Amino acid sequence: MRDVVWAVDGCRVCGRDDWLDVISFGSVPLANGFLDPADRDREEPTFPLDVVACRGCWLMGLRHVVDPEVLFSHYVYVSSDSDLMRRHMRHIVELCVDRAGLAAGDLVVELGSNVGTQLGMFADAGMRVTGVDPARNLVEVANERGIDSIPDFFGPEVAGAIARENGPARLVLGRQCFAHIPDVHNILKGVDAVLAPDGVLAIEVPYLVDLFDRNEFDTIYHEHASYYSVGTLNHLFAAHGLRVVDVERVAVHGGSIVVFAARDAAPRNPAARDTAARDTAARDTAARDAAPRLPRPVVAELLAMEERCGLTSERAYLEFAERTRRVITAVGDLVRRLVADGRRVAGYGAPSKGTTLLQFCGLSHRELEFCSDTTTLKHGKLLPGTRIPVYSPEQARRNPPDYYVLLAWNYAEEIIRKERPYLEQGGRFIVPLPEPHIVSAESAGEYI
Ligand code: TMP
Ligand code: ZN
């Protein structure tokens, strides 16, 4: 039998085998491995979760890889349908149309296309679209919705087949999946096989700078093999004849970057690009010629900022580990104290990062009565490891707790606004990050 977990030898980006030990979270179950109540007493498999940073290219990543087949072939993560996420996806379409000079009829290929929501928006804008995602259950849904999707791991074979059937892609997009993939070189070989000579690759990943700034240690779990900075992506892309030409910081998933890369060739028409920068009207007509080839100044600015923040030395990683240990203790102690005082505590949302946070803090069904979550697939299940039952929002509303730990903190604004009545009836949120604090009706203003 094949191993389902193994330790990486060399760095997945630069190949060097010189690791800084950042922090170890022990051996924990998979964050998306929701349990049926019937399996309450079954022992769950656990996998090591050790965070390291490569001294060669400063990639932060997990020391161990869990077989992607185990993690992603039946994936319960359905990309969120929240207002915030839909707005973001529309923004992505605008950004890509601008940066890649997309026009109607151009081919857009998305890896990690999930149920096809993002590609649907490109199709609405007139582009031809093809998705690739290893989760067969999600690809089925996408195809039912009319979004052409292939159930596979993206790589040179599937990308080559797409290029042969549909022609080269002007845009290859990977949103919030790149960090999940252990063999990123294979992905980039796939990009090479399908990307048009003047096409653009756009990768959206959580930004390591934001992760450090906001102590987002709960986003560290087995699915997230890597935590990227612009510097590390630059290094990686360069090995495949691509260069980072633009970066846009976006708010989703705790702070992410959309990194645009183009084939490392001479600028085709730099004059058109300068005109485009000055004149928005000209930009539309010049869009194609203006497809960026020279890095915009923001790229160098972010690289310099990362260096100042200590990302290219051991400093930022070790400070992050220190803060993480402190916040984990503080959140755990706060909840245990409230429960000891007779308060009822539950979780708001049951995201993977919630499972992770509760586990790190040593909290379980003994402290939290339930987690309320809008995802129907999760209702009635138990959170992995902590065995906390997932309720629907309606079920939760019938008997709300005194305190909700805001596990889905990336939707804080939307949730606190929606839960105004809960706050006004005396309910409170415990926002765990960046430092644990309590939000009541009086203090909700800082979020909305
Ligand atoms: P995500 O951060 O991975 O998208 O997960 C967010 C989780 O939070 C997802 O399981 C849905 C849940 N959620 C709620 O339960 N209520 C809400 O109002 C929102 C926005 C999300
Ligand atoms: Zn490296």
Side-chain angles (χ1 to χ4, degrees):
M1 207 180 83
R2 210 149 72 103
D3 280 346
V4 293
V5 60
W6 57 90
V8 289
D9 298 323
C11 166
R12 66 178 57 93
V13 168
C14 75
R16 205 162 131 173
D17 192 8
D18 181 11
W19 301 108
L20 167 70
D21 288 318
V22 179
I23 189 167
S24 172
F25 295 113
S27 192
V28 292
L30 300 178
N32 253 328
F34 287 86
L35 293 170
D36 283 324
D39 294 330
R40 184 181 299 276
D41 299 320
R42 186 169 59 85
E43 214 176 303
E44 292 162 81
T46 63
F47 303 90
L49 195 57
D50 300 330
V51 185
V52 291
C54 165
R55 289 195 182 90
C57 68
W58 297 108
L59 170 76
M60 189 168 97
L62 301 182
R63 189 77 171 97
H64 297 86
V65 175
V66 179
D67 187 351
E69 195 62 49
V70 173
L71 286 175
F72 302 119
S73 294
H74 186 90
Y75 202 33
V76 294
Y77 181 84
V78 177
S79 53
S80 170
D81 233 6
S82 74
D83 291 349
L84 182 87
M85 211 37 92
R86 296 193 73 83
R87 236 180 303 139
H88 172 65
M89 289 184 189
R90 280 195 292 271
H91 179 54
I92 287 290
V93 175
E94 285 166 18
L95 270 178
C96 291
V97 165
D98 181 60
R99 304 301 198 272
L102 284 181
D106 281 341
L107 179 66
V108 175
V109 172
E110 187 183 14
L111 46 131
S113 48
N114 205 272
V115 292
T117 313
Q118 176 76 72
L119 279 182
M121 293 184 186
F122 279 100
D124 289 345
M127 284 98 206
R128 292 178 298 129
V129 300
T130 299
V132 182
D133 197 301
R136 285 177 283 273
N137 54 324
L138 302 182
V139 161
E140 217 168 278
V141 177
N143 279 316
E144 277 163 20
R145 294 165 80 184
I147 306 297
D148 176 35
S149 304
I150 302 167
D152 207 342
F153 288 92
F154 186 84
E157 275 170 34
V158 70
I162 295 172
R164 280 191 299 280
E165 277 169 39
N166 303 336
R170 177 161 289 274
L171 174 72
V172 176
L173 173 67
R175 287 199 43 238
Q176 302 293 345
C177 59
F178 205 69
H180 297 52
I181 299 163
D183 189 356
V184 278
H185 290 288
N186 198 50
I187 296 291
L188 290 167
K189 284 181 202 152
V191 170
D192 189 44
V194 72
L195 190 68
D198 56 353
V200 167
L201 167 69
I203 293 293
E204 180 188 306
V205 283
Y207 192 21
L208 187 59
V209 167
D210 292 322
L211 189 156
F212 282 175
D213 270 359
R214 304 175 204 174
N215 281 346
E216 294 162 349
F217 60 84
D218 56 348
T219 61
I220 298 177
Y221 45 91
H222 300 98
E223 283 167 31
H224 298 164
S226 311
Y227 306 84
Y228 284 104
S229 59
V230 177
T232 303
L233 283 174
N234 209 16
H235 200 98
L236 171 64
F237 291 164
H240 293 269
L242 293 165
R243 69 159 96 163
V244 175
V245 290
D246 203 357
V247 183
E248 179 94 6
R249 292 181 76 168
V250 291
V252 294
H253 292 294
S256 299
I257 39 177
V258 187
V259 179
F260 297 89
R263 290 189 191 271
D264 195 6
R268 192 173 39 160
N269 189 351
R273 201 172 154 261
D274 291 345
T275 317
R278 276 199 310 274
D279 179 349
T280 3
R283 183 150 79 198
D284 294 338
T285 43
R288 244 166 222 279
D289 280 345
R293 288 293 172 274
L294 296 172
R296 294 192 178 186
V298 65
V299 180
E301 284 159 22
L302 289 174
L303 291 172
M305 184 267 279
E306 291 176 357
E307 203 171 328
R308 275 199 311 279
C309 291
L311 265 67
T312 51
S313 70
E314 297 188 357
R315 177 164 61 88
Y317 306 88
L318 297 177
E319 287 174 0
F320 164 70
E322 192 54 45
R323 286 196 303 278
T324 297
R325 277 189 276 270
R326 186 165 47 72
V327 173
I328 284 174
T329 308
V331 172
D333 287 352
L334 172 62
V335 171
R336 278 185 284 272
R337 210 168 48 237
L338 289 170
V339 172
D341 286 347
R343 301 290 194 281
R344 293 175 51 230
V345 184
Y348 200 102
S352 307
K353 59 182 168 297
T355 292
T356 308
L357 181 123
L358 295 171
Q359 253 175 184
F360 291 173
C361 297
L363 298 169
S364 72
H365 62 91
R366 281 182 289 277
E367 289 84 15
L368 271 70
E369 275 181 34
F370 61 85
C371 285
S372 151
D373 196 284
T374 47
T375 316
T376 324
L377 272 174
K378 297 180 184 174
H379 296 161
K381 305 253 191 214
L382 305 176
L383 258 63
T386 63
R387 310 283 164 106
I388 300 166
V390 184
Y391 287 7
S392 67
E394 296 71 38
Q395 196 181 356
R397 226 166 274 135
R398 284 200 284 274
N399 192 12
D402 300 307
Y403 290 81
Y404 266 124
V405 184
L406 187 55
L407 299 173
W409 47 255
N410 46 330
Y411 298 102
E413 188 188 323
E414 187 170 336
I415 290 171
I416 290 173
R417 182 169 307 198
K418 184 164 72 179
E419 295 298 342
R420 194 85 220 181
Y422 165 72
L423 287 168
E424 266 152 20
Q425 283 154 28
R428 279 155 206 261
F429 282 102
I430 298 170
V431 182
L433 308 176
E435 298 282 336
H437 60 285
I438 291 173
V439 176
S440 62
E442 293 74 46
S443 62
E446 65 174 296
Y447 283 90
I448 51 182

